[in-house]
Amino acid sequence: MKKISLFLLVLCLLAFTACSRKASDAPNGMQTASNEYSDFNLYVPDNWIVETSTGVITAKYSDSVMANISMMALSLSNDITTIDAYWDSFKETFGQTFADWQEETTEDMLLDGVAAKKYIYTGTVASIEAKYMQVLCIRQGAVYIFTYTASPEKFDDYVNDVTKMLDTFTFK
């Protein structure tokens, strides 16, 4: 009986250790915001609320603050092979979506070592003014789109969190 009890205790400890090891894959103070269908690892601060049940990975700071992120990957058509070409085709629909969008800055960057571009712009949708940061990256025939959205007055309050998300992002 002691052998069986000891075996069960060891088995439980191994199971607990395996679970805690998986949870520790996220950087300290962050949680995983990816699912089995995504080919990337996105981590967000522990105090953000993550949603991974749809095709788009999302997280929000809270229900009462407009600060959220989304990450998705879309297959590219054969005629779009660069970030600039994707952005130019994407901008064509901005006039239909945003009443008054304005691009503020564009910056080259890397997303897990892959060339990417960060675009910051403002716009109004359904009478709600927002500021956006989009990071676009093309890899293996897909465009990866990371979007951070916040009210213009709160945008800078969460940029450090968003920067940590982008710095810890990895492709699987």
Side-chain angles (χ1 to χ4, degrees):
M1 183 71 171
K2 286 184 180 180
K3 287 183 181 181
I4 293 173
S5 295
L6 182 59
F7 175 74
L8 290 175
L9 177 63
V10 170
L11 189 61
C12 287
L13 287 173
L14 286 174
F16 178 73
T17 305
C19 290
S20 65
R21 194 175 307 126
K22 184 173 177 66
S24 70
D25 288 347
N28 190 28
M30 301 185 90
Q31 61 182 312
T32 301
S34 302
N35 59 30
E36 65 272 15
Y37 305 110
S38 56
D39 66 344
F40 54 83
N41 296 307
L42 177 65
Y43 305 103
V44 301
D46 284 335
N47 60 327
W48 285 58
I49 302 163
V50 175
E51 174 59 53
T52 61
S53 64
T54 65
V56 177
I57 305 298
T58 64
K60 61 184 175 181
Y61 182 76
S62 74
D63 289 330
S64 60
V65 175
M66 185 175 84
N68 59 71
I69 61 97
S70 65
M71 182 73 189
M72 65 179 153
L74 303 171
S75 295
L76 285 172
S77 62
N78 291 337
D79 60 329
I80 296 179
T81 58
T82 67
I83 296 168
D84 290 331
Y86 181 82
W87 181 251
D88 288 342
S89 71
F90 187 65
K91 285 192 315 186
E92 291 176 14
T93 63
F94 274 26
Q96 300 163 359
T97 305
F98 298 101
D100 58 349
W101 87 278
Q102 286 191 313
E103 191 172 332
E104 292 185 2
T105 62
T106 302
E107 178 184 331
D108 291 328
M109 62 176 287
L110 296 175
L111 192 59
D112 191 24
V114 178
K117 280 200 176 182
K118 177 178 19 174
Y119 301 90
I120 296 179
Y121 57 95
T122 58
T124 304
V125 178
S127 302
I128 299 172
E129 186 180 351
K131 189 168 181 176
Y132 304 86
M133 172 195 300
Q134 278 196 310
V135 176
L136 304 177
C137 175
I138 293 179
R139 179 178 173 265
Q140 298 178 348
V143 61
Y144 292 80
I145 306 168
F146 175 92
T147 305
Y148 163 52
T149 306
S151 59
E153 64 276 0
K154 293 287 186 184
F155 186 86
D156 291 338
D157 294 351
Y158 304 98
V159 167
N160 286 338
D161 283 353
V162 171
T163 299
K164 286 180 194 174
M165 293 178 211
L166 293 169
D167 288 346
T168 58
F169 176 92
T170 59
F171 291 105
K172 292 181 181 175

